[in-house]
Amino acid sequence: MIRYLTAGESHGPGLTVIVEGFPSNLPVSRDKIDEQLRRRQQGYGRGRRQQIESDRVEVTSGIRFGRTLGTPITMHIQNRDFSHWTEKMAVWDAPPEQLKQVTRPRPGHADLAGAIKYDHEDIRNVLERASARNTATLVAAGALARQLLEYFGITLTAHVVEIGGERAQDVPDTWEDLIRAAESSPVRCADPEASQRMVAKIDEAKAKGDTVGGVFEIIVRGCPVGLGSYAHPDRRLDGRLAGALMSIQAIKGVEIGLGFEAAHRFGSQVHDAILHDGSRYLRPTNGAGGLEGGVTNGEPIVLRVAMKPISTLYTPLMSVDMRTKAPEPAAVERSDYCAVPAASVVGENVAAWVVAEAFMEKFGGDSIAQMEDHVRLYRERVAKR
């Protein structure tokens, strides 16, 4: 019932996202969207590009006086660095005579497969769209979606639990302390000691011209029972969340709840006992990560996402020049040494979109008032159970 379409190249004029299906009269804040874009640009290990860009959203349709109209919402993010790329990324003009094409694909990137698929001689035609710069559009769409979720009491956060093999061990138990610790860390890790070790690991990679990946965790609180469905595979919320998160650049794995750890335990150590306190059902544990049979069960949704090291290495691996087929070091593009902290923000907002999509499917209406009626009636019915 809601969907979005994105467009834009990394060094083109800008990035655009069109969002469709939001109810009318939802109060939205530009500052909240810009805040998520700002968070995406932060994190220890980022490259020089983040010193150039200062992302702010421009809304050109679908919102009036701070409320949605129920019509498509168009958001645009300017690429400030385009001023240095106007000839190399020109839309209509002929290529400059001295244009230097990218012909040495980077291992681990979309370069070679993309160039073959779309029949490009210049890999820049691939890497400009495959670039993680385009995750700014995912964050903008997710930042809008999370305002819908927050309206109904659903909140999200993400924190880094591992970088380069350095793992968080001592993470705060309370929601507020977890958010505070993660937001104050240069790597978005809620364990201060692990945070220092992660920074050192990133410095080690930088000194070698290398990169490091890691793992981050997303937590969604406040979801009602019943989002998603077991009726068809493509309606299972666990599958939809995993698919969306796997679609983020450089993501290689997604766990829900205990994830792969569940494969090492007896069932009695995995599944969550069901209790009742006289007014509602309770779970003493959350090994399922808030999802059973592809449906939310009322517990927090817990997702862990694995990101590989960035493909661009300043000490590049060997590759092949696509023109001559001669062995050459891979091309080097301006990049990050570690983008796990930034990826956690992207993942947080991508998850917000998927949950908002499921929420709209269950409680949808043309206006926010209609949705409020649907949510209230459902909660009353659930309370009777």
Side-chain angles (χ1 to χ4, degrees), residues 159-163 166-168 189 198 215-217 304:
H159 62 110
V160 173
V161 296
E162 182 178 343
I163 288 179
E166 299 293 345
R167 297 184 180 183
C189 175
M198 292 174 186
V215 179
F216 57 89
E217 183 174 81
R304 274 179 301 279

Side-chain angles (χ1 to χ4, degrees), residues 223 246 257 278 331:
C223 287
M246 283 290 291

Side-chain angles (χ1 to χ4, degrees), residues 26-77:
L26 172 69
V28 293
S29 164
R30 174 181 178 173
D31 289 344
K32 288 186 176 181
I33 300 173
D34 286 345
E35 170 65 11
Q36 296 304 318
L37 292 173
R38 182 192 65 80
R39 292 174 70 229
R40 188 198 74 91
Q41 292 190 277
Q42 295 181 332
Y44 196 80
R46 301 304 305 273
R48 290 187 298 112
R49 179 71 184 270
Q50 309 314 316
Q51 301 170 15
I52 298 171
E53 305 294 349
S54 181
D55 291 342
R56 286 178 58 83
V57 69
E58 300 172 16
V59 176
T60 57
S61 73
I63 296 175
R64 187 178 186 223
F65 304 135
R67 290 180 177 266
T68 56
L69 299 177
T71 51
I73 300 167
T74 304
M75 295 183 285
H76 182 75
I77 303 164

